[in-house]
Short mmCIF file of all heavy atoms in Angstrom, two decimals:
data_model
loop_
_atom_site.label_atom_id
_atom_site.label_comp_id
_atom_site.label_asym_id
_atom_site.label_seq_id
_atom_site.Cartn_x
_atom_site.Cartn_y
_atom_site.Cartn_z
N LEU A 1 101.72 159.77 76.43
CA LEU A 1 103.10 159.55 76.82
C LEU A 1 103.27 159.86 78.30
O LEU A 1 102.84 160.91 78.78
CB LEU A 1 104.03 160.45 76.00
CG LEU A 1 105.51 160.40 76.38
CD1 LEU A 1 106.11 159.04 76.08
CD2 LEU A 1 106.27 161.50 75.64
N VAL A 2 103.92 158.95 79.00
CA VAL A 2 104.21 159.14 80.42
C VAL A 2 105.65 159.61 80.61
O VAL A 2 105.92 160.59 81.29
CB VAL A 2 103.98 157.84 81.20
CG1 VAL A 2 104.38 158.01 82.66
CG2 VAL A 2 102.52 157.40 81.09
N ALA A 3 106.57 158.87 79.99
CA ALA A 3 107.99 159.19 80.14
C ALA A 3 108.75 158.58 78.97
O ALA A 3 108.33 157.56 78.41
CB ALA A 3 108.55 158.65 81.45
N ALA A 4 109.86 159.22 78.62
CA ALA A 4 110.67 158.72 77.52
C ALA A 4 112.15 158.90 77.84
O ALA A 4 112.53 159.79 78.60
CB ALA A 4 110.32 159.46 76.23
N ILE A 5 112.95 158.03 77.24
CA ILE A 5 114.40 158.12 77.40
C ILE A 5 115.03 157.83 76.04
O ILE A 5 114.70 156.83 75.40
CB ILE A 5 114.91 157.17 78.50
CG1 ILE A 5 116.40 157.35 78.72
CG2 ILE A 5 114.54 155.72 78.22
CD1 ILE A 5 116.90 156.69 80.02
N THR A 6 115.90 158.71 75.60
CA THR A 6 116.51 158.53 74.30
C THR A 6 117.62 157.48 74.37
O THR A 6 118.02 157.03 75.45
CB THR A 6 117.10 159.84 73.78
OG1 THR A 6 118.23 160.19 74.59
CG2 THR A 6 116.07 160.95 73.81
N SER A 7 118.15 157.14 73.20
CA SER A 7 119.25 156.18 73.16
C SER A 7 120.49 156.71 73.88
O SER A 7 121.33 155.95 74.33
CB SER A 7 119.61 155.85 71.70
OG SER A 7 119.98 157.03 71.01
N ARG A 8 120.57 158.04 74.02
CA ARG A 8 121.70 158.65 74.71
C ARG A 8 121.42 158.92 76.18
O ARG A 8 122.27 159.43 76.89
CB ARG A 8 122.11 159.95 74.02
CG ARG A 8 122.60 159.74 72.60
CD ARG A 8 123.17 161.01 72.00
NE ARG A 8 123.73 160.78 70.67
CZ ARG A 8 124.39 161.71 69.98
NH1 ARG A 8 124.56 162.91 70.49
NH2 ARG A 8 124.87 161.42 68.78
N GLY A 9 120.18 158.63 76.64
CA GLY A 9 119.88 158.76 78.05
C GLY A 9 119.15 160.02 78.46
O GLY A 9 118.88 160.21 79.65
N SER A 10 118.79 160.88 77.52
CA SER A 10 118.00 162.06 77.86
C SER A 10 116.57 161.64 78.16
O SER A 10 116.02 160.76 77.49
CB SER A 10 118.02 163.07 76.71
OG SER A 10 119.33 163.53 76.48
N THR A 11 115.98 162.29 79.15
CA THR A 11 114.64 161.90 79.59
C THR A 11 113.67 163.07 79.50
O THR A 11 114.06 164.24 79.55
CB THR A 11 114.66 161.39 81.04
OG1 THR A 11 115.15 162.42 81.90
CG2 THR A 11 115.55 160.16 81.17
N ASN A 12 112.40 162.74 79.38
CA ASN A 12 111.34 163.73 79.52
C ASN A 12 110.11 163.05 80.09
O ASN A 12 109.94 161.83 79.94
CB ASN A 12 111.04 164.46 78.22
CG ASN A 12 110.38 163.58 77.19
OD1 ASN A 12 111.02 162.76 76.57
ND2 ASN A 12 109.08 163.76 77.01
N TYR A 13 109.27 163.86 80.75
CA TYR A 13 108.13 163.33 81.48
C TYR A 13 106.88 164.16 81.22
O TYR A 13 106.95 165.37 80.98
CB TYR A 13 108.41 163.38 82.99
CG TYR A 13 109.57 162.53 83.43
CD1 TYR A 13 110.86 163.04 83.48
CD2 TYR A 13 109.37 161.19 83.78
CE1 TYR A 13 111.93 162.25 83.86
CE2 TYR A 13 110.44 160.40 84.19
CZ TYR A 13 111.71 160.94 84.22
OH TYR A 13 112.76 160.15 84.61
N ALA A 14 105.74 163.50 81.31
CA ALA A 14 104.48 164.22 81.33
C ALA A 14 104.41 165.05 82.61
O ALA A 14 104.92 164.62 83.67
CB ALA A 14 103.32 163.25 81.26
N ASP A 15 103.78 166.21 82.52
CA ASP A 15 103.70 167.08 83.70
C ASP A 15 103.03 166.37 84.87
O ASP A 15 103.38 166.60 86.03
CB ASP A 15 102.92 168.34 83.35
CG ASP A 15 103.71 169.29 82.47
OD1 ASP A 15 104.95 169.14 82.37
OD2 ASP A 15 103.09 170.19 81.86
N SER A 16 102.10 165.50 84.57
CA SER A 16 101.32 164.84 85.62
C SER A 16 102.15 163.86 86.46
O SER A 16 101.71 163.47 87.55
CB SER A 16 100.13 164.11 85.02
OG SER A 16 100.56 163.13 84.09
N VAL A 17 103.32 163.46 85.97
CA VAL A 17 104.12 162.48 86.70
C VAL A 17 105.48 163.01 87.12
O VAL A 17 106.23 162.31 87.81
CB VAL A 17 104.30 161.19 85.88
CG1 VAL A 17 102.96 160.64 85.43
CG2 VAL A 17 105.23 161.40 84.70
N LYS A 18 105.80 164.23 86.75
CA LYS A 18 107.09 164.80 87.12
C LYS A 18 107.26 164.81 88.63
O LYS A 18 106.36 165.20 89.36
CB LYS A 18 107.23 166.22 86.56
CG LYS A 18 107.56 166.28 85.09
CD LYS A 18 107.70 167.72 84.62
CE LYS A 18 108.01 167.77 83.13
NZ LYS A 18 108.07 169.16 82.62
N GLY A 19 108.43 164.37 89.07
CA GLY A 19 108.71 164.32 90.50
C GLY A 19 108.23 163.05 91.17
O GLY A 19 108.59 162.79 92.32
N ARG A 20 107.43 162.25 90.47
CA ARG A 20 106.92 160.99 91.05
C ARG A 20 107.44 159.76 90.31
O ARG A 20 107.67 158.72 90.91
CB ARG A 20 105.40 160.97 91.03
CG ARG A 20 104.75 162.09 91.82
CD ARG A 20 103.24 161.89 91.91
NE ARG A 20 102.57 161.91 90.62
CZ ARG A 20 101.81 160.91 90.16
NH1 ARG A 20 101.62 159.82 90.88
NH2 ARG A 20 101.23 161.02 88.97
N PHE A 21 107.60 159.87 89.01
CA PHE A 21 108.03 158.74 88.17
C PHE A 21 109.45 158.98 87.66
O PHE A 21 109.85 160.12 87.40
CB PHE A 21 107.11 158.58 86.96
CG PHE A 21 105.71 158.11 87.26
CD1 PHE A 21 105.21 158.04 88.55
CD2 PHE A 21 104.88 157.72 86.22
CE1 PHE A 21 103.92 157.61 88.81
CE2 PHE A 21 103.58 157.29 86.45
CZ PHE A 21 103.10 157.24 87.75
N THR A 22 110.18 157.88 87.50
CA THR A 22 111.53 157.95 86.95
C THR A 22 111.71 156.85 85.91
O THR A 22 111.47 155.68 86.20
CB THR A 22 112.58 157.78 88.05
OG1 THR A 22 112.40 158.80 89.06
CG2 THR A 22 113.99 157.92 87.47
N ILE A 23 112.14 157.25 84.73
CA ILE A 23 112.45 156.28 83.68
C ILE A 23 113.95 156.07 83.63
O ILE A 23 114.73 157.02 83.82
CB ILE A 23 111.91 156.75 82.31
CG1 ILE A 23 112.03 155.63 81.27
CG2 ILE A 23 112.58 158.03 81.85
CD1 ILE A 23 111.29 155.94 79.96
N SER A 24 114.35 154.83 83.41
CA SER A 24 115.77 154.51 83.28
C SER A 24 115.92 153.32 82.35
O SER A 24 114.94 152.63 82.04
CB SER A 24 116.38 154.21 84.65
OG SER A 24 115.77 153.08 85.25
N ARG A 25 117.14 153.09 81.91
CA ARG A 25 117.38 151.96 81.02
C ARG A 25 118.69 151.29 81.39
O ARG A 25 119.63 151.95 81.86
CB ARG A 25 117.39 152.40 79.56
CG ARG A 25 118.50 153.35 79.17
CD ARG A 25 118.28 153.92 77.76
NE ARG A 25 118.26 152.89 76.74
CZ ARG A 25 117.75 153.06 75.51
NH1 ARG A 25 117.19 154.22 75.18
NH2 ARG A 25 117.78 152.07 74.63
N ASP A 26 118.73 149.99 81.16
CA ASP A 26 119.94 149.20 81.35
C ASP A 26 120.19 148.48 80.03
O ASP A 26 119.57 147.45 79.75
CB ASP A 26 119.75 148.21 82.50
CG ASP A 26 121.02 147.45 82.83
OD1 ASP A 26 121.92 147.35 81.97
OD2 ASP A 26 121.12 146.92 83.95
N ASN A 27 121.08 149.03 79.23
CA ASN A 27 121.32 148.47 77.90
C ASN A 27 121.93 147.07 77.97
O ASN A 27 121.72 146.26 77.07
CB ASN A 27 122.21 149.40 77.09
CG ASN A 27 121.51 150.68 76.68
OD1 ASN A 27 120.28 150.74 76.64
ND2 ASN A 27 122.27 151.72 76.42
N ALA A 28 122.66 146.78 79.03
CA ALA A 28 123.25 145.45 79.17
C ALA A 28 122.17 144.38 79.39
O ALA A 28 122.37 143.21 79.05
CB ALA A 28 124.24 145.44 80.33
N LYS A 29 121.04 144.80 79.95
CA LYS A 29 119.93 143.87 80.20
C LYS A 29 118.79 144.05 79.21
O LYS A 29 117.74 143.41 79.36
CB LYS A 29 119.40 144.07 81.62
CG LYS A 29 120.41 143.72 82.71
CD LYS A 29 119.81 143.87 84.09
CE LYS A 29 120.80 143.45 85.16
NZ LYS A 29 120.23 143.59 86.54
N ASN A 30 118.98 144.92 78.21
CA ASN A 30 117.93 145.17 77.21
C ASN A 30 116.60 145.56 77.87
O ASN A 30 115.53 145.13 77.41
CB ASN A 30 117.72 143.95 76.31
CG ASN A 30 118.88 143.71 75.37
OD1 ASN A 30 119.81 144.51 75.29
ND2 ASN A 30 118.84 142.60 74.66
N THR A 31 116.67 146.35 78.91
CA THR A 31 115.48 146.63 79.71
C THR A 31 115.37 148.13 80.01
O THR A 31 116.36 148.80 80.28
CB THR A 31 115.53 145.84 81.03
OG1 THR A 31 115.58 144.43 80.73
CG2 THR A 31 114.30 146.11 81.88
N VAL A 32 114.13 148.60 79.96
CA VAL A 32 113.79 149.94 80.40
C VAL A 32 112.84 149.82 81.57
O VAL A 32 112.00 148.93 81.60
CB VAL A 32 113.20 150.78 79.25
CG1 VAL A 32 111.90 150.18 78.73
CG2 VAL A 32 112.99 152.23 79.67
N TYR A 33 113.01 150.71 82.53
CA TYR A 33 112.22 150.68 83.77
C TYR A 33 111.39 151.95 83.92
O TYR A 33 111.76 153.01 83.42
CB TYR A 33 113.14 150.54 84.98
CG TYR A 33 114.05 149.35 84.94
CD1 TYR A 33 115.37 149.47 84.50
CD2 TYR A 33 113.61 148.09 85.32
CE1 TYR A 33 116.22 148.37 84.47
CE2 TYR A 33 114.44 147.00 85.30
CZ TYR A 33 115.76 147.14 84.86
OH TYR A 33 116.59 146.05 84.82
N LEU A 34 110.32 151.82 84.66
CA LEU A 34 109.56 152.99 85.09
C LEU A 34 109.29 152.82 86.58
O LEU A 34 108.48 151.99 86.97
CB LEU A 34 108.25 153.13 84.32
CG LEU A 34 107.47 154.41 84.64
CD1 LEU A 34 108.23 155.64 84.14
CD2 LEU A 34 106.07 154.36 84.03
N GLN A 35 110.00 153.60 87.38
CA GLN A 35 109.76 153.61 88.81
C GLN A 35 108.66 154.61 89.10
O GLN A 35 108.80 155.79 88.77
CB GLN A 35 111.04 154.00 89.56
CG GLN A 35 110.87 154.09 91.07
CD GLN A 35 110.58 152.76 91.72
OE1 GLN A 35 111.20 151.75 91.40
NE2 GLN A 35 109.61 152.73 92.62
N MET A 36 107.60 154.13 89.72
CA MET A 36 106.43 154.97 89.98
C MET A 36 106.23 155.08 91.48
O MET A 36 106.00 154.07 92.16
CB MET A 36 105.20 154.38 89.31
CG MET A 36 105.37 154.13 87.82
SD MET A 36 103.86 153.60 87.01
CE MET A 36 103.60 152.01 87.80
N ASN A 37 106.32 156.28 91.99
CA ASN A 37 106.14 156.55 93.42
C ASN A 37 104.94 157.47 93.63
O ASN A 37 104.49 158.14 92.71
CB ASN A 37 107.40 157.19 94.00
CG ASN A 37 108.62 156.31 93.88
OD1 ASN A 37 108.53 155.08 93.95
ND2 ASN A 37 109.79 156.92 93.71
N ILE A 38 104.48 157.50 94.84
CA ILE A 38 103.35 158.36 95.24
C ILE A 38 102.21 158.19 94.23
O ILE A 38 101.67 159.14 93.67
CB ILE A 38 103.76 159.84 95.37
CG1 ILE A 38 105.11 159.98 96.06
CG2 ILE A 38 102.70 160.61 96.15
CD1 ILE A 38 105.64 161.39 96.11
N LEU A 39 101.84 156.95 94.01
CA LEU A 39 100.81 156.66 93.01
C LEU A 39 99.46 157.20 93.43
O LEU A 39 99.10 157.21 94.63
CB LEU A 39 100.74 155.16 92.74
CG LEU A 39 101.88 154.65 91.84
CD1 LEU A 39 102.07 153.14 92.00
CD2 LEU A 39 101.59 155.01 90.39
N LYS A 40 98.70 157.63 92.44
CA LYS A 40 97.38 158.20 92.63
C LYS A 40 96.35 157.38 91.88
O LYS A 40 96.69 156.72 90.88
CB LYS A 40 97.35 159.64 92.11
CG LYS A 40 98.42 160.54 92.72
CD LYS A 40 98.38 161.92 92.05
CE LYS A 40 99.45 162.84 92.63
NZ LYS A 40 99.42 164.18 91.99
N PRO A 41 95.09 157.43 92.28
CA PRO A 41 94.06 156.69 91.54
C PRO A 41 94.03 157.06 90.06
O PRO A 41 93.77 156.18 89.22
CB PRO A 41 92.77 157.11 92.25
CG PRO A 41 93.20 157.39 93.66
CD PRO A 41 94.55 158.02 93.53
N GLU A 42 94.35 158.28 89.73
CA GLU A 42 94.34 158.69 88.32
C GLU A 42 95.51 158.13 87.52
O GLU A 42 95.57 158.31 86.30
CB GLU A 42 94.32 160.23 88.20
CG GLU A 42 95.39 160.94 89.00
CD GLU A 42 94.87 161.44 90.34
OE1 GLU A 42 94.14 160.69 91.03
OE2 GLU A 42 95.21 162.59 90.72
N ASP A 43 96.42 157.45 88.17
CA ASP A 43 97.49 156.74 87.46
C ASP A 43 97.04 155.37 86.97
O ASP A 43 97.78 154.69 86.24
CB ASP A 43 98.72 156.57 88.36
CG ASP A 43 99.38 157.88 88.73
OD1 ASP A 43 99.51 158.76 87.86
OD2 ASP A 43 99.77 158.03 89.91
N THR A 44 95.84 154.97 87.34
CA THR A 44 95.30 153.69 86.91
C THR A 44 95.17 153.65 85.39
O THR A 44 94.55 154.54 84.80
CB THR A 44 93.94 153.43 87.56
OG1 THR A 44 94.12 153.31 88.98
CG2 THR A 44 93.30 152.17 87.01
N ALA A 45 95.79 152.65 84.78
CA ALA A 45 95.80 152.54 83.32
C ALA A 45 96.54 151.27 82.92
O ALA A 45 97.20 150.63 83.76
CB ALA A 45 96.48 153.75 82.69
N VAL A 46 96.44 150.95 81.65
CA VAL A 46 97.34 149.96 81.06
C VAL A 46 98.58 150.72 80.59
O VAL A 46 98.46 151.72 79.86
CB VAL A 46 96.69 149.21 79.90
CG1 VAL A 46 97.69 148.23 79.28
CG2 VAL A 46 95.44 148.47 80.37
N TYR A 47 99.74 150.25 81.01
CA TYR A 47 101.00 150.90 80.67
C TYR A 47 101.68 150.11 79.56
O TYR A 47 101.86 148.89 79.67
CB TYR A 47 101.89 151.00 81.90
CG TYR A 47 101.45 152.11 82.84
CD1 TYR A 47 100.29 151.98 83.58
CD2 TYR A 47 102.19 153.28 82.96
CE1 TYR A 47 99.86 153.00 84.42
CE2 TYR A 47 101.78 154.31 83.81
CZ TYR A 47 100.60 154.15 84.53
OH TYR A 47 100.18 155.17 85.37
N TYR A 48 102.07 150.83 78.52
CA TYR A 48 102.68 150.21 77.36
C TYR A 48 104.11 150.71 77.18
O TYR A 48 104.40 151.90 77.36
CB TYR A 48 101.90 150.56 76.09
CG TYR A 48 100.49 150.04 76.05
CD1 TYR A 48 99.44 150.82 76.53
CD2 TYR A 48 100.19 148.78 75.52
CE1 TYR A 48 98.13 150.37 76.49
CE2 TYR A 48 98.89 148.32 75.48
CZ TYR A 48 97.87 149.12 75.96
OH TYR A 48 96.58 148.65 75.92
#
């Protein structure tokens, strides 16, 4: 798990990405986002 957001908007993050990644959702667009900043080689992965 990298990041999660509940139906009410509460969020939580893996320690490894805290302060660098931000999860958000736009219910009007049926979309969830993951903003990833200060990326590191160890962030390389398939994201689901």
